[in-house]
Amino acid sequence: MKLFDPILAGATISERSIACTGAFIAVALTAATGFAFPVHSPLVVAPIGASAVLIFAVPASPLAQPWPVVGGNVISAFVGLGVAWAIADVTIAAACAVALAIAVMSVTRSLHPPGGAVALTAALGGPVAVKWGVLFPLVPIGVNSLCLVMLGMAFHALSRRSYPHRAAAAKAAALSAGAAAAFNPEDIDEALTQMGESFDIARNDLDRLLQYAEANAARRQASNS
């Protein structure tokens, strides 16, 4: 059964149930925004499902914050349209759209995995992209993304979660008097540089996690001495 163990810390049954409920409500209401437009039908694109997973299942992820969701999706849609206009070969256009979307999202600090799917959809010219043409980045992509973020903020506020996520300071009561962090932010930055990898955790949350770990280690050593 270890195969089915959660791969993310904090992924309890109750936590995942809340995430499923939030995603259900948000995607349904986001799709319903189509009734406000001439199409008079549900209006939602597939990559929004991936955005919903991030917003409701891992709301603390830097990739799930409002700017990456809205900015990353909209920017990627524009990139995909531009590539489709400039490159006739579908295979090359698809590859360039995703690669350039990653580059532009990285520069604009809006990296959002579903943005790659948005760029690909725009470059391949699917039915929705063809229908809306140059408006595709705004309708439905922008409208869907903005609705999803707003609903995510409302839902997480009701469920008492932090979204947009802000790293809380480590509680003083949890840190023993003699267990002040022996490392500083520069040490963490250096460690990340030495490892040469990216992690799906905010820099401030990592700092807080290490402070708690160091305090717990200090208390354990003190109790064993």
Side-chain angles (χ1 to χ4, degrees), residues 15-168:
E15 190 274 341
R16 280 295 177 262
S17 296
I18 293 174
C20 291
T21 301
F24 174 85
I25 295 171
V27 172
L29 293 177
T30 297
T33 58
F35 291 104
F37 293 87
V39 292
H40 295 300
S41 64
L43 179 67
V44 66
V45 291
I48 291 301
S51 294
V53 172
L54 288 169
I55 293 174
F56 292 96
V58 282
S61 169
L63 307 178
Q65 302 313 298
W67 169 240
V69 174
V70 178
N73 282 338
V74 172
I75 289 171
S76 296
F78 277 114
V79 169
L81 287 182
V83 168
W85 175 79
I87 302 176
D89 185 280
V90 176
T91 302
I92 301 301
C96 286
V98 176
L100 288 176
I102 293 174
V104 177
M105 285 190 291
S106 297
V107 170
T108 57
R109 297 173 58 84
S110 62
L111 190 64
H112 185 60
V118 171
L120 188 59
T121 300
L124 294 178
V128 178
V130 171
K131 176 179 179 60
W132 291 98
V134 294
L135 290 178
F136 178 70
L138 304 179
V139 183
I141 298 300
V143 172
N144 283 177
S145 301
L146 189 58
C147 285
L148 197 63
V149 164
M150 293 174 65
L151 291 167
M153 293 172 68
F155 182 83
H156 286 310
L158 292 174
S159 59
R160 298 184 179 181
R161 289 177 170 184
S162 172
Y163 185 82
H165 179 68
R166 297 178 180 83

